[in-house]
Amino acid sequence: MILNRTDSWAAMNHRSQEWAPPARQPGPYNPAPAPAETVIHVPDKGLRRYDRAAPGEPTVTVQQVGPGTNGEPPTYVHVSQNAPKGSRQARPPFTVTGPKGEPLSSVRSVGDGVYEVYGGDGALLGRITRRSGRTLPWPRRVRWSVQPAQGGAPLAGEVGTRKAWAVFVLISPLYFVCWAVMAAQGSLWLLLGEKGEAKKEAAWEMEPPTWTRWRSADEPEAASEYRTGRRYRLAAPRLDHRPACAQAVLHVWDRA
């Protein structure tokens, strides 16, 4: 997971700052606050293959890069190698540690799509909830919410827009026709012994809508936003970056 600081966002308005968490002194259990705008990148391969990682090795690396970061040391996401596979509603617990192994945060499932996020000192930072999507009796998109432990309105976001899902449903039949043709071509290449070409044919896929914006019901501006490429734009003053990172990891894991 890579954090990339950007300077392109405008400063947050006074209203959004009213419910921002109070300032804390930096330290191993109260890390320095994230920059006003941050881009979080979460590679998903490590999440899918956590059981293949060597004992003690991190599942995902968190690195701040870009102008002004001065090569700051990385942090790491760890998932126990022998953790159960779990499900979309109960991912295995994971921890985030600093460059010297100091605990920064931990996340654990408490069942039914609910996760609790704790700081390195064991204090509860917030709760993340995943509500499953469905088609009947009426369509409902997957919905995520983040409730800060210090109070304030929860941040909620639905995966994909209504228009994007409508277009996705309309073009899905065409996609399946194309997929069948490419699968047949891949099988032919495989019979001819061309495994590389077969993999190329099998690599193409159409992803469902992904745009997700987390915001409170009374705030027009998003506190966190995901568009594509496993990158999350975070307006740090409106949400502790540790629950925000936990939400990003769970969101990517949901799609892995």
Side-chain angles (χ1 to χ4, degrees):
M1 181 163 59
I2 301 175
L3 273 69
N4 183 11
R5 180 178 303 175
T6 63
D7 299 321
S8 61
W9 284 19
M12 303 306 297
N13 58 36
H14 175 71
R15 185 180 180 186
S16 66
Q17 293 174 345
E18 289 179 350
W19 66 284
R24 292 168 295 189
Q25 293 298 320
Y29 299 123
N30 285 322
E37 282 102 26
T38 303
V39 173
I40 305 173
H41 179 214
V42 187
D44 63 334
K45 292 183 178 180
L47 294 171
R48 290 199 303 261
R49 304 172 182 172
Y50 69 86
D51 56 334
R52 304 181 191 176
E57 291 295 321
T59 305
V60 176
T61 300
V62 182
Q63 178 71 57
Q64 294 189 40
V65 297
T69 56
N70 299 320
E72 295 177 12
T75 56
Y76 306 98
V77 176
H78 298 267
V79 183
S80 177
Q81 190 179 34
N82 58 1
K85 289 296 183 182
S87 65
R88 291 181 183 272
Q89 293 296 96
R91 295 296 183 185
F94 60 90
T95 60
V96 180
T97 62
K100 297 182 180 180
E102 65 274 21
L104 300 179
S105 63
S106 61
V107 181
R108 70 182 185 188
S109 169
V110 294
D112 198 24
V114 180
Y115 301 85
E116 291 181 342
V117 184
Y118 295 87
D121 58 354
L124 181 65
L125 300 176
R127 175 170 289 190
I128 298 172
T129 302
R130 179 191 186 276
R131 188 180 70 175
S132 299
R134 69 186 182 198
T135 303
L136 298 173
W138 58 82
R140 185 177 74 183
R141 293 167 285 172
V142 173
R143 182 182 178 89
W144 290 94
S145 64
V146 183
Q147 175 65 66
Q150 72 273 14
L155 303 176
E158 292 180 309
V159 177
T161 63
R162 290 187 177 91
K163 291 182 179 179
W165 276 108
V167 172
F168 179 81
V169 170
L170 289 175
I171 66 176
S172 290
L174 178 61
Y175 162 74
F176 285 115
V177 171
C178 294
W179 177 86
V181 172
M182 297 185 73
Q185 291 177 342
S187 299
L188 180 60
W189 282 117
L190 194 61
L191 289 174
L192 295 174
E194 297 289 343
K195 294 183 179 180
E197 293 296 330
K199 288 182 178 180
K200 290 180 182 179
E201 296 291 344
W204 185 79
E205 62 179 352
M206 182 179 71
E207 292 190 354
T210 59
W211 187 21
T212 309
R213 300 174 74 243
W214 287 265
R215 64 183 184 88
S216 61
D218 58 348
E219 289 285 348
E221 297 296 329
S224 183
E225 180 180 23
Y226 174 81
R227 287 180 179 263
T228 187
R230 298 182 294 278
R231 294 179 181 270
Y232 298 79
R233 296 170 62 184
L234 169 65
R238 304 181 61 193
L239 178 65
D240 189 311
H241 66 283
R242 292 169 291 177
C245 287
Q247 171 66 99
V249 170
L250 290 168
H251 188 256
V252 167
W253 208 338
D254 201 51
R255 302 180 47 75

